[in-house]
Amino acid sequence: MHNRPPVPLIELLPQHLRNRDASEGRALEALMGILAGELAVVERDLDQLYDNWFIESCEPWVIPYLGALIGARPMRSFGAGEVGLRSYIANTLSYRQAKGTAAALEQIARDVTGWPVVAVEFFQKLIWSQHVNHVRPDAPGTASVRDAEAARQSEGAFSAACHSAAAGPADGASGRYAIPHVGLFIWRLDAFPLGFVSNAAAGYVGGLVPRASAIGLGFRHFDPLGADRTLFNRPKADRSVAGRVDIRMVPAPLDRRLLHRDLNRLRDGRPSGWFDEAPVLRIRLGGAEVPPERLHSCNLETRDDGGGNPTWRRPAQAGHVLFDPELGRLALHASDEGKAVETSCAFAAPFAIGGGPYDRSASFAAWREEIFVDGAPAPWVIGVSARAQDQTDDVLQGGVVVASLAEAIVRWNAASNAGTRGLILMLDNGSYAQDLGDAAHIVKIPPGARLAIAAMAWPTVERAGGVIERDLRSLAPMYRRPHIRGDLRIRGAAPGAGQEAGRLILDGVLVEGEVAILAGALGSLDLRHCTIGASAAGLTKGLRVISQNGALAVVVDHSIAGSLALGPAGGGLRVADSIIGEDRDLQADPDLLAVVVDAPSADVDFARSTIFGRTAVRSIEAENSLFLGTARAAQRQRGCMRFSYAPLTSRVPRRYRCQPDMTIAEAEQAAAPSSLSDAEKRRLARSVTPIFTASAFPASAFGQLALAAPDAVAAGAFGGAEMGAGFGAGTPFRRANLTDMLDEYLPFGLVAAPLFQT
């Protein structure tokens, strides 16, 4: 109803009045145009008022009011949790009808937390004599010691094994299997699929390119960086409130044994659970997709070939592929080594940062007007695709698209002038290994120029006469994360009188090398949803300003970077919803960590970010952030640190509700009039030190606070949210919603416990 066309009021008047108005300067037409605009506002308001009667179409502010009408318990919003809470309100009446069932518990838990949840009634998993009228063939009294697959799943949500009765807390390993206990198995990590990209007119566009191992071309890693990363399930949608959640609906790590058995069933002509209409893994070899019957799940651990050389297992037949989902590896037959390989799979991460297949429309909207200016000519645009079928210079046949980022940079440098607005669109998930370090491939930004290098779909539209055009109005920043294997070098030209400095935007790309700003006068650099300086060994590089560029302003938003070395750049640095650095050695002394933010000339603003290392800046503003290393600001009379964690040895401006300061202040108040010793203060500070599930890149849970993290950090940000890059995830609110839900929907006499799997 919101697309109702505007009413041209002038056309409702008699023709003779319109003719007379036209002869007298169209004053009446102008008046009717103003009235039509106001009428459109009223009609839109009426349409929205009507839509607000329905939970499916109402505005977010209406959701709690509709919930109050049916007596739904108020729940806390979490990040982008409006969709989940909308489902919670919409399904409340259905949940009440099914109250007390395991299906209702797991479905409502999913709605109020946004996490996949599987409810297991542990009394159903106890060994007990079965009645002949209630035979449970899937619940044997004893487990087979020969079934390794069943043994690995025995403590999981989908285990068929039965246990003897236990006593103890429901969330403890020893007391889980008791009669009144219910377990809610929860997966906190999200699965982000990177796969085959297609376009309606152009067909297949490209897929993820696995990295060749140092052993040889026949041995590859699914991760384009070459790291051993576990593959995760691509969850299927849960389309039924009454149905139960199965293993294909949760973002769990893939099990090589499960896939091995499933592929064997498929080869025997039986239906597949993992390689059905939505296969969990796909591989293209030499331009053609490998059928599931030729895929083999196995253990590809490195072993000795008998001559002291490392090797993996290899397929015995050409055209067959061995893969290991737990190590993220695949192996080819010797005759297939030279063929192109592309994959479709899913990796896991705790947050939607660092680039990936998720929707980046909000990021695109933040800089779109810099490139597309109303009333100005269309920007200079070029696409980049590794597929020869897409590459063309003919704009009437899907161009201009080139084969590499290197060629796109050369063309930009040749075409750009002062004030030029340009787009380099990377259209696939390919890896670009061209050397960008020489003078010809330095990205040059003339004065006043604006250039964006972004991972984005640039759809083709087929016109009459076989003309294929690319539509700039339908750019889609999702499903893509191209990989740049080298360094990216940028040089901004000094502006003349009356000119502005140039600007560069990187959005949605993975840069394995460093982003280096060469001597010049670049005005601003935006790193949005990017991963900078990543490699199989970790975050080894980052952003580096080599010299000059004194007025450079840098924005790092929803990104991951190894380090930020701004040198003389003094235009300001803003880091938001990002992770900088890593901690591979679990260094306990914050004064000994590496410097990961070095901006001695810049005023820095941190928001909702995690900094794994030391920080040295001119002045600092920080909110809801975690500084694992010592933070030092040269000017402490400016700025403020709010709702953040920073080690006691940090030299920062005034702190407001920060840790460990609050914990120490509360202890001093409780001990008054006595005072705490320095040793006691250090002990209290250690008690609120953040604990992470993983602090080294590229672990799946990199940057995620552990469940054992102290509440002062896990719920110490503004409004009770989590400090650091997980601020927007809303974990404390999700867990609180889960507790409230159990109070209302858990059957009387039962005890439930959340059992986090990731």
Side-chain angles (χ1 to χ4, degrees), residues 659-724:
Q659 295 294 349
D661 307 68
M662 281 187 62
T663 299
I664 294 174
E666 291 171 359
E668 287 180 330
Q669 185 177 5
S674 302
S675 59
L676 299 179
S677 65
D678 291 341
E680 290 173 320
K681 291 180 180 180
R682 288 193 295 271
R683 180 185 59 79
L684 289 170
R686 287 194 298 271
S687 70
V688 294
T689 300
I691 304 172
F692 292 88
T693 307
S695 59
F697 185 88
S700 297
F702 174 59
Q704 181 191 57
L705 280 179
L707 296 171
D711 289 341
V713 170
F718 178 76
E722 176 183 313
M723 291 181 181

Side-chain angles (χ1 to χ4, degrees), residues 600-647:
S601 302
D603 300 320
V604 184
D605 185 355
F606 293 97
R608 305 172 301 278
S609 296
T610 301
I611 314 300
F612 284 107
R614 288 186 288 148
T615 300
V617 300
R618 181 170 67 182
S619 70
I620 186 171
E621 287 271 357
E623 61 180 12
N624 307 309
S625 295
L626 290 173
F627 295 86
L628 281 303
T630 305
R632 297 185 183 276
Q635 299 179 4
R636 287 184 289 161
Q637 298 82 7
R638 302 171 54 191
C640 179
M641 184 171 284
R642 300 173 294 274
F643 299 98
S644 297
Y645 172 90

Side-chain angles (χ1 to χ4, degrees), residues 422-741:
L423 268 175
I424 297 177
L425 300 175
M426 307 193 73
L427 307 180
D428 56 18
N429 287 320
S431 293
Y432 295 89
Q434 297 82 13
D435 182 13
L436 303 178
D438 59 354
H441 297 106
I442 296 172
V443 182
K444 297 177 182 178
I445 309 296
R450 303 288 187 266
L451 174 64
I453 302 176
M456 218 173 277
W458 188 13
T460 55
V461 180
E462 190 167 352
R463 309 291 188 188
V467 174
I468 299 176
E469 296 180 351
R470 291 193 178 268
D471 187 2
L472 280 178
R473 298 169 299 177
S474 302
L475 296 177
M478 61 182 73
Y479 306 135
R480 288 156 175 79
R481 195 215 44 200
H483 169 218
I484 302 171
R485 288 186 61 172
D487 298 336
L488 196 60
R489 299 181 179 275
I490 303 104
R491 188 190 304 278
Q499 291 181 319
E500 295 181 352
R503 182 180 183 190
L504 175 66
I505 301 164
L506 299 180
D507 195 328
V509 297
L510 167 63
V511 181
E512 187 167 342
E514 70 173 0
V515 174
I517 312 299
L518 305 181
L522 186 66
S524 64
L525 172 66
D526 282 21
L527 303 177
R528 296 180 173 273
H529 293 274
C530 294
T531 300
I532 307 297
S535 69
L539 296 171
T540 56
K541 298 182 179 180
L543 169 65
R544 182 166 62 104
V545 179
I546 295 177
S547 64
Q548 300 180 24
N549 297 282
L552 173 63
V554 177
V555 173
V556 180
D557 182 76
H558 286 83
S559 294
I560 298 172
S563 60
L564 303 175
L566 268 60
L573 168 65
R574 175 169 173 78
V575 180
D577 302 287
S578 298
I579 301 175
I580 309 299
E582 63 177 341
D583 184 6
R584 306 191 72 83
D585 301 324
L586 300 179
Q587 176 60 256
D589 190 341
D591 295 330
L592 299 180
L593 293 175
V595 176
V596 295
V597 180
D598 186 11
S601 302
D603 300 320
V604 184
D605 185 355
F606 293 97
R608 305 172 301 278
S609 296
T610 301
I611 314 300
F612 284 107
R614 288 186 288 148
T615 300
V617 300
R618 181 170 67 182
S619 70
I620 186 171
E621 287 271 357
E623 61 180 12
N624 307 309
S625 295
L626 290 173
F627 295 86
L628 281 303
T630 305
R632 297 185 183 276
Q635 299 179 4
R636 287 184 289 161
Q637 298 82 7
R638 302 171 54 191
C640 179
M641 184 171 284
R642 300 173 294 274
F643 299 98
S644 297
Y645 172 90
L648 287 176
T649 53
S650 298
R651 292 172 54 86
V652 294
R654 180 174 59 91
R655 305 190 192 195
Y656 175 72
R657 300 188 69 82
C658 290
Q659 295 294 349
D661 307 68
M662 281 187 62
T663 299
I664 294 174
E666 291 171 359
E668 287 180 330
Q669 185 177 5
S674 302
S675 59
L676 299 179
S677 65
D678 291 341
E680 290 173 320
K681 291 180 180 180
R682 288 193 295 271
R683 180 185 59 79
L684 289 170
R686 287 194 298 271
S687 70
V688 294
T689 300
I691 304 172
F692 292 88
T693 307
S695 59
F697 185 88
S700 297
F702 174 59
Q704 181 191 57
L705 280 179
L707 296 171
D711 289 341
V713 170
F718 178 76
E722 176 183 313
M723 291 181 181
F727 178 90
T731 299
F733 310 132
R734 298 176 192 234
R735 299 183 70 171
N737 285 350
L738 183 64
T739 300
D740 291 347
M741 179 276 295

Side-chain angles (χ1 to χ4, degrees), residues 122 126 155 163-179 181 755:
F122 286 129
L126 296 180
E155 300 297 328
H163 301 254
S164 56
D171 57 354
S174 60
R176 177 180 297 182
Y177 293 94
I179 292 176
H181 289 175
L755 303 172

